[in-house]
Amino acid sequence: MIKIGVIGYGYWGPNIVRNLCAQQTFHVAAVCDQSPEALRRVQQTYPAIRTTANPSTITCSADLDAVAIVTPVWTHYELAKAALKNGKHVFVEKPFTSNTAQAEELIALADRNNLVIMVDHTFLFTGAVRKIRELIDARELGDIYYYDSLRVNLGMFQHDVNVVWDLAPHDLSIMEYLITDEPEAIAATGETHINGHEDVAFVTVFFPHRTIAHINVNWLSPVKVRTTLIGGEKKMIVWDDLEADEKIRVYDRGVRMDSALDRQKLLVSYRSGDMWAPRLEQVEALREEFNYFYDCIVKNQVPFNSGVAGWRIVRMIEAASRSMKLKGEPVLLNSTGTVTQEAKAA
Amino acid sequence: MIKIGVIGYGYWGPNIVRNLCAQQTFHVAAVCDQSPEALRRVQQTYPAIRTTANPSTITCSADLDAVAIVTPVWTHYELAKAALKNGKHVFVEKPFTSNTAQAEELIALADRNNLVIMVDHTFLFTGAVRKIRELIDARELGDIYYYDSLRVNLGMFQHDVNVVWDLAPHDLSIMEYLITDEPEAIAATGETHINGHEDVAFVTVFFPHRTIAHINVNWLSPVKVRTTLIGGEKKMIVWDDLEADEKIRVYDRGVRMDSALDRQKLLVSYRSGDMWAPRLEQVEALREEFNYFYDCIVKNQVPFNSGVAGWRIVRMIEAASRSMKLKGEPVLLNSTGTVTQEAKAA
Amino acid sequence: MIKIGVIGYGYWGPNIVRNLCAQQTFHVAAVCDQSPEALRRVQQTYPAIRTTANPSTITCSADLDAVAIVTPVWTHYELAKAALKNGKHVFVEKPFTSNTAQAEELIALADRNNLVIMVDHTFLFTGAVRKIRELIDARELGDIYYYDSLRVNLGMFQHDVNVVWDLAPHDLSIMEYLITDEPEAIAATGETHINGHEDVAFVTVFFPHRTIAHINVNWLSPVKVRTTLIGGEKKMIVWDDLEADEKIRVYDRGVRMDSALDRQKLLVSYRSGDMWAPRLEQVEALREEFNYFYDCIVKNQVPFNSGVAGWRIVRMIEAASRSMKLKGEPVLLNSTGTVTQEAKAA
Amino acid sequence: MIKIGVIGYGYWGPNIVRNLCAQQTFHVAAVCDQSPEALRRVQQTYPAIRTTANPSTITCSADLDAVAIVTPVWTHYELAKAALKNGKHVFVEKPFTSNTAQAEELIALADRNNLVIMVDHTFLFTGAVRKIRELIDARELGDIYYYDSLRVNLGMFQHDVNVVWDLAPHDLSIMEYLITDEPEAIAATGETHINGHEDVAFVTVFFPHRTIAHINVNWLSPVKVRTTLIGGEKKMIVWDDLEADEKIRVYDRGVRMDSALDRQKLLVSYRSGDMWAPRLEQVEALREEFNYFYDCIVKNQVPFNSGVAGWRIVRMIEAASRSMKLKGEPVLLNSTGTVTQEAKAA
């Protein structure tokens, strides 16, 4: 059984604690939060858990094997560094860090100490994303033409980051998980209306082999939308995450040029067949993720949502933020440095 | 009664002819098409209409007052030029021309001959767009934060233009009609999969005063979507053009910073009130447009969807196509030259 | 080529004429309507068709082989009788007649003169109904548990009949076509609010083998709904006729008792698998129906939507209307008399 | 502070306990359940609450003021009787009892002992139902023409009652709350497919003044639907309880006969105006209900969802079940006896 401490008991923290407590493999020994009210709620629900307002009580604790960091992004680096230095495995909220330099330092530190970093890209553990990945791996879609995601709602504004830092990590990590090619460049546009950070943003990610991804994130939408279109050469998917059932619809539709000669005559043929909504596994994603965290620790294995995976997302957010300042000018994702070496290994 | 000839009887032509025939103010004297089969259909439905395979029979006809050009975009310039030179008013499909130079020449020609050019931006005459404009004019939405449109479906591929030329004129013309500021720059990304032209494209239009517009057009979507979000300071609109009723929903929702000082403390307040779907006028848009065409001719008036309006759309499509080649680099919409002078006058 | 005359050019008549004109196998020689304005529209669109305000010009015409009767239900009997007496095949709008006695007389008359009666239950020729029938015939659904239809909208009120006569013929004919057992009894409830006829009605049809059908029709609904649930032992269908695509969704869902013993312990097991929306044939139903009418005439064949089928629907509407007067008391559908004999033969 | 014991910690019990614990006005002293596993969960979450497998520990406890009964319907009568005899106020799940005789006895017992019975018709405390009631009270809808509810899903089968006992209490209690007239009769049809009880049922409730209600409940539907149409003389409502926002849509639509004379000429006029989705209060219904329970106890007041209200629902379910056995024959709701006297007083 792995002894774990949790730092942060705000919006997402209670889910983390509840899920860890339900696992046979983890023992939640301590929870830290700045807010006395939060700690009071912990005590009421889990009288056996130690509470503290001081995070170093957890990062330096001698009797903990791992730390879950469920705090705002700007605190991740310091907390993770302290935990790793003290020999603890780290489970950390997305986005991993505030910049790539921090991420690289943490990855190196974990490497030296032979510790696991797992970044909480929860969506990768949902039945929906797993099913899409399965369909892509089975070549059901053929080549991927595009990945186009719409993730908009009203609020919740964050005071220190733009909407890409807040909402796009979901889409970027899913996109990365589904498209095996390495992204080459990012072009993004956006606008600032309320608090000095972009609250509306449109991010394009360029891949080799004519695959293109697009992510539309918005804190100022009157309605909540969570819809992704994935267009393939052979089949296409509409994923509506707000549907209770039938989140994923697979369309047997496509377009084909009949030969190079036809370009003049435009002999494009359309195929419009059945639609199919595969039943999805009813799993709780966090539960699956913690099982996997446990496995990676005990088997000394690098998770696919490792620090390096987290670094890749941060790198794309940095690039998108830079491109937005340049009103859409593309920013290359240079694949240099030791991190990428490691990425390939993972 | 205005005598009019129609060139082109393919996909959209029959609607044009049917609507013109239903007006008391127009007399359709002749229809031209290259296809004998199309002309046979004209004769069967309208035995009284003259048919011809030669467009100059129409553009040069002594007894016609006006010509409706309902052909592919690459033919617009030559046909419109011939018609204007022969003293005919011109109703022309969107997009107006293949490039801004052609548009400028036609505008000048119409000016010299005191003739009306009307570009068929039909959507501007729908109950939905009129209602949105009415709400914006009445300051119901307050300042416009963003205009975000999704117009995707499977096909119909065109062999000579990209998806922006095909689908975006609708959105660009509506956007232009609703947002009174002049657009400043365009950044667009896209990809080519089937026939050598971009079939997926994401276009951002930058306006002054932090208004941003975004248009997502795609010929490779498994499902048809026609949804536009318009976010305002005070209210927000969701326009779903595929809804039979309730195409427009107005949300009394918004976000507000309580003062400049609050940026640190993030005192953002949200307002979430009623939703309201105003009843829309049940008008046939083309019918309204032809009434307006008649009025502009007899009153010698410049329509708001004049050649200059058409030129503005072509200019934005050119800029978007150029930006796509540059992978998103923004292209300025320079507001120079006589055309813009005229635009202001109109 | 069959020479046909059409009586009635109101709401549905123009579709009938347009479709007959598009067939190679029919020649529309004459159209009759009481309204001069309707006849003017016929002349304008089809200058070659003879028009008349006198229906006997058509029913007694020496040069016509068939008559299509597209008038209000209370006129069907007289018009069809005249046509059949004069040796003409009859295509007649649903519901067939105002009562079963009239239907029986017409069926006998057609029989004696060896003529075809086809009742226009158009829905039976749609891709959706054909596909459902195909799935049922293939035993994909297993035993049918229930058929539950909702057909509601605002208006159009008819002054001489209740909402069951107006809207339920669609559902009753589809139900009859899909469920092969003979219905045994009908229980219906309803209420009258506006013009002295029931405008809201709920009709239950009892079948052998525990199959039950229910039809909810309503002229006073703020929204239009056209949804049918069909529950089977093995699979279940949701048919939403207002969907542009994917009208039919087949659910691999079911419930099963594990054995008779389990009733105490309630060992009910649920199966919840994939959903599947089969692509439907893109056919125009009326076109298919007229092809079939032609075939039945030239092959001297009794159509499945014959007068007898029409009589069955009228019999159910009569029973439902009677049950409504009795506030839901069930009315048996006695299967006696020559008509039923014939029905079995057909 | 009112000391309360809760009997039953299965599906709904945990919500009851959680809500009572969150109130300042109640103290949950004990929880009873037959299942050791359920009691273990209580202990884990609420270490301070006493647990027991013996219900009489609670119903006879000297230190409790009230009892919440959250068990299957067939146990309600015995448990409530014991509690009332021991001077405890009773909060009991719907449906109130297994038959009206039991309900009448409990009502009389509570009356004699001056105790409150509240039947948990939770829906009456939701923002949606409150808003509809408010609109009806303000005469926004005018006279109510019909109330038509669809409540279908797959399972959960209950082994001792039919689907009307399981699902219809929601609709019947809401209907009763919204329509002020007394229902006069019930006609219901249904069918039994799986476990010997009706799993599909269609219930019509007749009211004076041409108001009609209809409830469609089904355990064998492949999809979950919770939709109610309410048609009024002036406005109409669509309530979709599965919508996250905009559960209620008010349509400014209607039909009107212009005068008695017009019935011949059918001068029906339609009004089709705006749709409006009022913002609903974001209340937790159970919380509101317990506040009200507290108030009724301390103010010695008869709640509107009293035992008498519960009796009325049971009476309608009994009538519906009887009518189903008679294949739809209407069953009168005789308004005789002391209970109804009391009902009027309440």
Side-chain angles (χ1 to χ4, degrees):
Chain A
M1 195 176 257
I2 290 172
K3 285 193 190 154
I4 191 164
V6 178
I7 307 178
Y9 199 77
Y11 173 72
W12 191 239
N15 288 326
I16 296 288
V17 174
R18 180 175 52 77
N19 263 279
L20 283 169
C21 285
Q23 307 274 330
Q24 305 297 337
T25 46
F26 284 94
H27 171 71
V28 181
V31 169
C32 167
D33 200 284
Q34 312 276 30
S35 144
E37 165 57 22
L39 295 184
R40 203 192 54 76
R41 278 183 288 119
V42 175
Q43 282 151 8
Q44 192 181 355
T45 317
Y46 308 98
I49 295 180
R50 215 164 66 221
T51 59
T52 172
N54 178 3
S56 61
T57 317
I58 286 184
T59 52
C60 306
S61 162
D63 71 333
L64 293 176
D65 308 307
V67 175
I69 300 170
V70 199
T71 54
V73 61
W74 60 270
T75 65
H76 290 182
Y77 167 69
E78 290 295 348
L79 293 169
K81 189 164 71 173
L84 291 167
K85 278 191 171 163
N86 285 285
K88 280 141 197 38
H89 302 286
V90 166
F91 180 92
V92 58
E93 263 325 289
K94 54 91 208 155
F96 182 21
T97 53
S98 296
N99 57 57
T100 45
Q102 291 177 347
E104 286 159 22
E105 193 182 331
L106 295 177
I107 292 166
L109 187 55
D111 253 26
R112 278 199 303 276
N113 296 359
N114 207 22
L115 293 166
V116 172
I117 298 177
M118 179 172 284
V119 184
D120 181 19
H121 292 301
T122 327
F123 259 110
L124 307 185
F125 295 85
T126 57
V129 173
R130 285 174 167 200
K131 174 58 77 176
I132 298 175
R133 170 70 181 256
E134 190 186 310
L135 292 168
I136 289 175
D137 284 353
R139 297 285 304 160
E140 286 280 320
L141 276 65
D143 291 343
I144 303 299
Y145 286 159
Y146 65 86
Y147 176 97
D148 186 7
S149 164
L150 183 58
R151 183 177 299 272
V152 306
N153 51 243
L154 198 65
M156 310 292 300
F157 272 78
Q158 309 216 356
H159 74 283
D160 53 347
V161 296
N162 63 34
V163 69
V164 175
W165 280 98
D166 181 41
L167 295 180
H170 294 303
D171 304 291
L172 292 169
S173 61
I174 298 164
M175 174 199 84
E176 260 255 322
Y177 182 65
L178 298 177
I179 303 174
T180 44
D181 283 323
E182 287 273 322
E184 297 176 328
I186 290 207
T189 54
E191 195 50 88
T192 296
H193 301 93
I194 306 293
N195 70 342
H197 298 282
E198 287 89 354
D199 39 41
V200 176
F202 313 105
V203 181
T204 297
V205 187
F206 297 98
F207 287 84
H209 308 116
R210 303 193 174 284
T211 302
I212 189 167
H214 182 254
I215 295 167
N216 180 332
V217 282
N218 185 339
W219 275 332
L220 286 172
S221 166
V223 288
K224 184 175 181 177
V225 186
R226 297 285 185 265
T227 302
T228 302
L229 305 181
I230 304 175
E233 179 198 5
K234 296 198 293 189
K235 282 189 184 150
M236 295 172 176
I237 288 177
V238 178
W239 166 28
D240 181 349
D241 204 55
L242 301 184
E243 282 275 329
D245 304 303
E246 303 149 40
K247 285 180 191 296
I248 288 180
R249 303 183 177 202
V250 184
Y251 290 84
D252 184 16
R253 295 195 181 158
V255 179
R256 201 162 51 89
M257 284 294 290
D258 285 327
S259 88
L261 282 171
D262 298 329
R263 204 170 283 180
Q264 282 305 86
K265 298 189 178 167
L266 193 69
L267 291 188
V268 172
S269 65
Y270 295 89
R271 193 184 66 259
S272 185
D274 294 355
M275 182 267 272
W276 168 66
R279 187 173 174 266
L280 302 180
E281 270 182 273
Q282 299 294 326
V283 297
E284 188 171 6
L286 256 184
R287 185 189 160 90
E288 299 290 308
E289 195 175 8
F290 283 129
N291 281 338
Y292 182 57
F293 186 42
Y294 177 83
D295 281 357
C296 289
I297 290 171
V298 299
K299 296 180 185 162
N300 194 21
Q301 190 183 312
V302 179
F304 66 83
N305 55 335
S306 67
V308 174
W311 169 87
R312 283 198 215 109
I313 306 306
V314 171
R315 185 178 62 149
M316 287 192 277
I317 300 172
E318 280 186 344
S321 299
R322 200 165 343 131
S323 180
M324 282 200 288
K325 299 301 172 217
L326 302 169
K327 290 195 170 291
E329 203 171 291
V331 172
L332 292 179
L333 299 166
N334 294 312
S335 300
T336 58
T338 51
V339 169
T340 310
Q341 298 299 319
E342 197 183 346
K344 279 177 190 155
Chain B
M1 195 176 254
I2 290 172
K3 285 191 189 158
I4 192 165
V6 177
I7 306 177
Y9 199 78
Y11 173 71
W12 191 239
N15 288 326
I16 296 288
V17 173
R18 181 174 52 76
N19 263 280
L20 283 170
C21 286
Q23 307 273 330
Q24 305 297 336
T25 46
F26 284 95
H27 170 71
V28 181
V31 169
C32 168
D33 200 285
Q34 312 277 29
S35 144
E37 165 57 21
L39 296 185
R40 202 192 55 74
R41 278 185 288 117
V42 175
Q43 282 151 10
Q44 194 181 355
T45 317
Y46 309 97
I49 296 180
R50 217 163 65 220
T51 60
T52 173
N54 179 3
S56 61
T57 315
I58 286 183
T59 52
C60 307
S61 163
D63 72 332
L64 293 176
D65 308 309
V67 174
I69 299 170
V70 199
T71 55
V73 61
W74 59 270
T75 66
H76 289 181
Y77 167 69
E78 290 295 348
L79 293 169
K81 189 163 72 172
L84 292 167
K85 277 192 171 164
N86 285 284
K88 282 149 199 29
H89 303 285
V90 165
F91 181 92
V92 58
E93 263 324 289
K94 53 91 209 157
F96 182 21
T97 54
S98 295
N99 56 59
T100 44
Q102 291 177 347
E104 286 159 22
E105 193 181 332
L106 294 177
I107 291 165
L109 187 54
D111 253 26
R112 275 200 304 278
N113 295 359
N114 205 23
L115 293 166
V116 171
I117 297 176
M118 179 173 281
V119 183
D120 181 19
H121 291 303
T122 327
F123 260 109
L124 308 185
F125 295 85
T126 58
V129 173
R130 284 174 170 202
K131 175 58 78 178
I132 299 175
R133 169 73 181 255
E134 189 187 309
L135 293 167
I136 289 176
D137 284 354
R139 297 284 306 160
E140 286 280 320
L141 277 65
D143 292 343
I144 303 300
Y145 287 160
Y146 63 86
Y147 176 99
D148 186 7
S149 163
L150 184 58
R151 183 178 299 273
V152 306
N153 50 245
L154 198 64
M156 311 287 300
F157 272 79
Q158 308 215 357
H159 73 283
D160 53 347
V161 295
N162 65 34
V163 70
V164 176
W165 280 98
D166 181 40
L167 294 179
H170 294 303
D171 305 291
L172 293 168
S173 62
I174 298 164
M175 174 200 84
E176 261 255 320
Y177 182 65
L178 297 177
I179 303 175
T180 44
D181 282 325
E182 288 273 321
E184 296 176 329
I186 290 207
T189 55
E191 195 50 88
T192 296
H193 302 94
I194 306 292
N195 71 341
H197 298 282
E198 287 89 353
D199 38 41
V200 176
F202 312 105
V203 181
T204 298
V205 187
F206 296 99
F207 287 84
H209 309 115
R210 302 192 176 285
T211 301
I212 190 167
H214 183 254
I215 294 167
N216 180 331
V217 281
N218 185 338
W219 275 332
L220 285 171
S221 167
V223 287
K224 184 175 181 177
V225 186
R226 298 282 184 270
T227 302
T228 302
L229 305 182
I230 303 174
E233 179 199 6
K234 296 197 292 187
K235 285 192 181 147
M236 295 174 175
I237 288 177
V238 178
W239 166 27
D240 181 348
D241 204 55
L242 301 184
E243 282 274 330
D245 303 304
E246 303 150 41
K247 286 180 191 295
I248 289 180
R249 302 183 177 202
V250 184
Y251 290 84
D252 184 16
R253 294 195 181 159
V255 179
R256 201 161 52 90
M257 285 295 289
D258 285 328
S259 87
L261 282 172
D262 299 328
R263 206 170 280 179
Q264 282 305 89
K265 300 190 177 166
L266 194 69
L267 290 188
V268 172
S269 65
Y270 296 88
R271 193 184 66 258
S272 187
D274 295 355
M275 182 268 272
W276 168 66
R279 185 171 176 266
L280 302 181
E281 272 182 272
Q282 298 295 325
V283 296
E284 187 171 5
L286 256 185
R287 185 189 161 89
E288 299 289 307
E289 194 174 9
F290 282 130
N291 281 338
Y292 181 57
F293 186 40
Y294 177 82
D295 281 357
C296 289
I297 290 172
V298 298
K299 297 179 183 163
N300 196 23
Q301 190 184 312
V302 179
F304 67 81
N305 55 333
S306 67
V308 174
W311 169 86
R312 284 198 214 109
I313 305 308
V314 171
R315 187 177 61 148
M316 288 192 277
I317 301 173
E318 280 186 345
S321 298
R322 201 162 345 128
S323 179
M324 284 200 288
K325 299 302 170 215
L326 303 168
K327 290 195 170 291
E329 200 170 292
V331 172
L332 293 180
L333 299 168
N334 294 312
S335 301
T336 57
T338 50
V339 169
T340 310
Q341 298 301 319
E342 199 183 348
K344 279 177 189 156
Chain C
M1 195 176 255
I2 289 171
K3 283 191 189 157
I4 191 164
V6 177
I7 306 178
Y9 199 79
Y11 174 71
W12 191 239
N15 288 326
I16 296 287
V17 174
R18 180 174 54 76
N19 263 279
L20 284 170
C21 286
Q23 307 273 329
Q24 305 298 335
T25 46
F26 284 93
H27 171 70
V28 181
V31 169
C32 167
D33 200 284
Q34 312 276 31
S35 145
E37 165 57 23
L39 296 185
R40 203 192 55 74
R41 277 185 288 119
V42 176
Q43 282 151 8
Q44 193 182 355
T45 318
Y46 309 98
I49 295 181
R50 216 162 66 221
T51 60
T52 173
N54 179 4
S56 62
T57 315
I58 286 183
T59 54
C60 306
S61 161
D63 71 333
L64 293 176
D65 307 308
V67 175
I69 300 170
V70 200
T71 55
V73 60
W74 59 271
T75 66
H76 289 182
Y77 168 69
E78 290 295 347
L79 293 169
K81 189 163 72 171
L84 292 166
K85 277 192 172 164
N86 285 284
K88 280 143 199 35
H89 302 286
V90 165
F91 181 93
V92 57
E93 262 324 290
K94 53 92 208 151
F96 182 21
T97 53
S98 296
N99 56 58
T100 45
Q102 291 177 347
E104 287 159 22
E105 193 181 331
L106 294 178
I107 292 164
L109 187 54
D111 254 27
R112 277 200 304 278
N113 295 359
N114 206 25
L115 293 167
V116 171
I117 296 177
M118 178 173 284
V119 183
D120 181 19
H121 292 301
T122 326
F123 259 110
L124 307 184
F125 295 85
T126 58
V129 173
R130 286 174 167 200
K131 174 59 76 177
I132 298 175
R133 169 72 181 256
E134 190 187 309
L135 292 167
I136 289 176
D137 284 353
R139 297 284 306 159
E140 286 280 319
L141 276 65
D143 292 342
I144 303 299
Y145 286 159
Y146 65 85
Y147 176 97
D148 186 7
S149 164
L150 183 58
R151 183 178 299 273
V152 305
N153 50 246
L154 197 66
M156 314 288 301
F157 272 79
Q158 308 214 357
H159 74 283
D160 53 348
V161 295
N162 64 35
V163 69
V164 176
W165 280 98
D166 182 41
L167 294 179
H170 295 303
D171 305 290
L172 292 168
S173 61
I174 298 164
M175 173 200 84
E176 259 255 321
Y177 182 67
L178 297 177
I179 303 174
T180 44
D181 283 324
E182 287 273 320
E184 296 175 329
I186 290 208
T189 54
E191 196 50 87
T192 296
H193 302 93
I194 306 292
N195 70 343
H197 299 281
E198 287 89 354
D199 38 42
V200 176
F202 312 105
V203 181
T204 297
V205 187
F206 297 98
F207 287 85
H209 308 115
R210 301 192 177 284
T211 302
I212 189 167
H214 183 255
I215 294 167
N216 180 332
V217 281
N218 185 338
W219 276 332
L220 286 172
S221 166
V223 288
K224 184 175 181 178
V225 185
R226 298 282 183 270
T227 302
T228 302
L229 304 182
I230 303 175
E233 179 198 7
K234 297 197 291 189
K235 284 191 182 147
M236 295 173 176
I237 288 177
V238 178
W239 166 28
D240 181 349
D241 203 56
L242 301 184
E243 282 276 329
D245 304 304
E246 302 149 42
K247 284 180 192 298
I248 288 179
R249 303 183 177 202
V250 184
Y251 290 83
D252 185 16
R253 295 193 180 161
V255 179
R256 200 161 52 90
M257 284 294 290
D258 284 329
S259 87
L261 283 172
D262 298 330
R263 205 169 282 180
Q264 283 304 88
K265 299 190 178 165
L266 193 70
L267 290 188
V268 172
S269 65
Y270 295 89
R271 193 184 66 259
S272 187
D274 295 354
M275 182 268 271
W276 168 67
R279 184 170 177 268
L280 303 180
E281 271 182 273
Q282 299 295 325
V283 296
E284 187 171 5
L286 257 184
R287 185 190 162 90
E288 299 290 307
E289 194 174 10
F290 282 129
N291 281 338
Y292 181 56
F293 186 41
Y294 177 83
D295 281 356
C296 289
I297 290 172
V298 298
K299 297 178 184 163
N300 196 22
Q301 191 184 312
V302 179
F304 66 82
N305 56 333
S306 68
V308 174
W311 170 85
R312 284 198 214 108
I313 305 306
V314 171
R315 187 178 61 149
M316 287 192 277
I317 300 172
E318 279 186 345
S321 298
R322 202 165 342 131
S323 179
M324 283 199 289
K325 298 303 171 214
L326 303 168
K327 290 195 170 291
E329 202 170 290
V331 172
L332 293 180
L333 298 167
N334 293 312
S335 300
T336 58
T338 51
V339 169
T340 311
Q341 297 300 318
E342 199 183 344
K344 279 175 188 157
Chain D
M1 196 177 254
I2 290 172
K3 285 192 189 157
I4 191 165
V6 178
I7 307 177
Y9 198 79
Y11 173 71
W12 191 240
N15 288 325
I16 296 288
V17 174
R18 180 174 53 77
N19 263 281
L20 283 169
C21 286
Q23 306 274 329
Q24 304 298 336
T25 47
F26 285 94
H27 170 71
V28 182
V31 169
C32 168
D33 200 284
Q34 312 276 30
S35 145
E37 164 58 21
L39 296 184
R40 203 192 53 75
R41 278 185 286 118
V42 175
Q43 283 152 7
Q44 192 181 355
T45 317
Y46 309 98
I49 295 181
R50 214 163 68 220
T51 60
T52 173
N54 179 3
S56 61
T57 317
I58 285 183
T59 53
C60 307
S61 162
D63 72 333
L64 292 176
D65 309 307
V67 174
I69 300 169
V70 200
T71 55
V73 62
W74 60 270
T75 66
H76 289 183
Y77 168 70
E78 290 295 348
L79 294 169
K81 189 163 71 173
L84 292 166
K85 277 190 172 166
N86 286 285
K88 281 143 197 37
H89 302 286
V90 165
F91 180 92
V92 57
E93 261 326 288
K94 53 89 211 159
F96 182 21
T97 54
S98 295
N99 56 57
T100 44
Q102 291 178 347
E104 286 159 23
E105 194 181 329
L106 295 177
I107 292 165
L109 187 55
D111 253 26
R112 276 198 304 277
N113 296 358
N114 207 22
L115 293 166
V116 172
I117 297 177
M118 179 172 283
V119 184
D120 181 19
H121 292 302
T122 326
F123 259 109
L124 308 184
F125 296 85
T126 57
V129 172
R130 285 174 168 202
K131 174 58 78 178
I132 298 175
R133 171 71 181 256
E134 189 187 310
L135 292 168
I136 289 175
D137 284 354
R139 298 284 305 159
E140 286 281 319
L141 276 66
D143 291 343
I144 303 299
Y145 286 159
Y146 64 86
Y147 176 97
D148 186 7
S149 164
L150 184 59
R151 183 178 300 272
V152 306
N153 51 244
L154 198 65
M156 308 291 298
F157 271 79
Q158 308 217 356
H159 74 284
D160 54 347
V161 294
N162 64 34
V163 69
V164 176
W165 280 98
D166 181 40
L167 295 180
H170 294 302
D171 304 292
L172 292 168
S173 61
I174 298 164
M175 173 200 83
E176 260 254 322
Y177 182 66
L178 297 177
I179 303 175
T180 44
D181 283 324
E182 287 273 320
E184 296 176 328
I186 290 208
T189 55
E191 195 51 88
T192 296
H193 301 93
I194 306 294
N195 70 341
H197 299 281
E198 288 88 354
D199 38 42
V200 176
F202 312 105
V203 180
T204 297
V205 187
F206 296 99
F207 287 85
H209 307 118
R210 302 193 175 286
T211 301
I212 190 166
H214 182 254
I215 294 167
N216 180 332
V217 282
N218 185 338
W219 274 333
L220 285 172
S221 166
V223 287
K224 184 175 182 178
V225 185
R226 296 285 184 267
T227 302
T228 302
L229 304 182
I230 304 174
E233 178 199 7
K234 296 197 293 188
K235 284 191 183 148
M236 296 174 174
I237 287 177
V238 178
W239 166 26
D240 181 349
D241 204 55
L242 301 184
E243 283 275 330
D245 304 302
E246 303 150 40
K247 284 180 191 297
I248 288 179
R249 303 183 177 200
V250 183
Y251 290 83
D252 183 16
R253 293 192 183 161
V255 179
R256 200 162 51 91
M257 285 293 291
D258 284 329
S259 88
L261 284 171
D262 299 329
R263 205 170 281 179
Q264 282 304 89
K265 297 188 178 166
L266 193 69
L267 291 188
V268 172
S269 65
Y270 296 88
R271 194 184 66 259
S272 186
D274 294 355
M275 182 267 270
W276 168 65
R279 186 172 175 266
L280 302 180
E281 272 182 90
Q282 300 295 325
V283 297
E284 189 171 6
L286 257 184
R287 184 188 162 90
E288 299 289 309
E289 194 174 9
F290 282 130
N291 281 338
Y292 181 57
F293 186 42
Y294 177 82
D295 281 356
C296 289
I297 290 171
V298 299
K299 298 180 183 161
N300 195 23
Q301 189 183 312
V302 179
F304 66 83
N305 55 334
S306 67
V308 174
W311 170 86
R312 283 198 214 110
I313 306 306
V314 171
R315 186 178 62 149
M316 287 192 277
I317 299 172
E318 280 186 343
S321 298
R322 200 162 346 128
S323 180
M324 283 200 290
K325 299 302 171 214
L326 303 168
K327 290 195 171 290
E329 201 170 292
V331 172
L332 292 180
L333 299 168
N334 294 312
S335 301
T336 58
T338 51
V339 169
T340 310
Q341 297 299 319
E342 197 184 345
K344 278 176 189 155

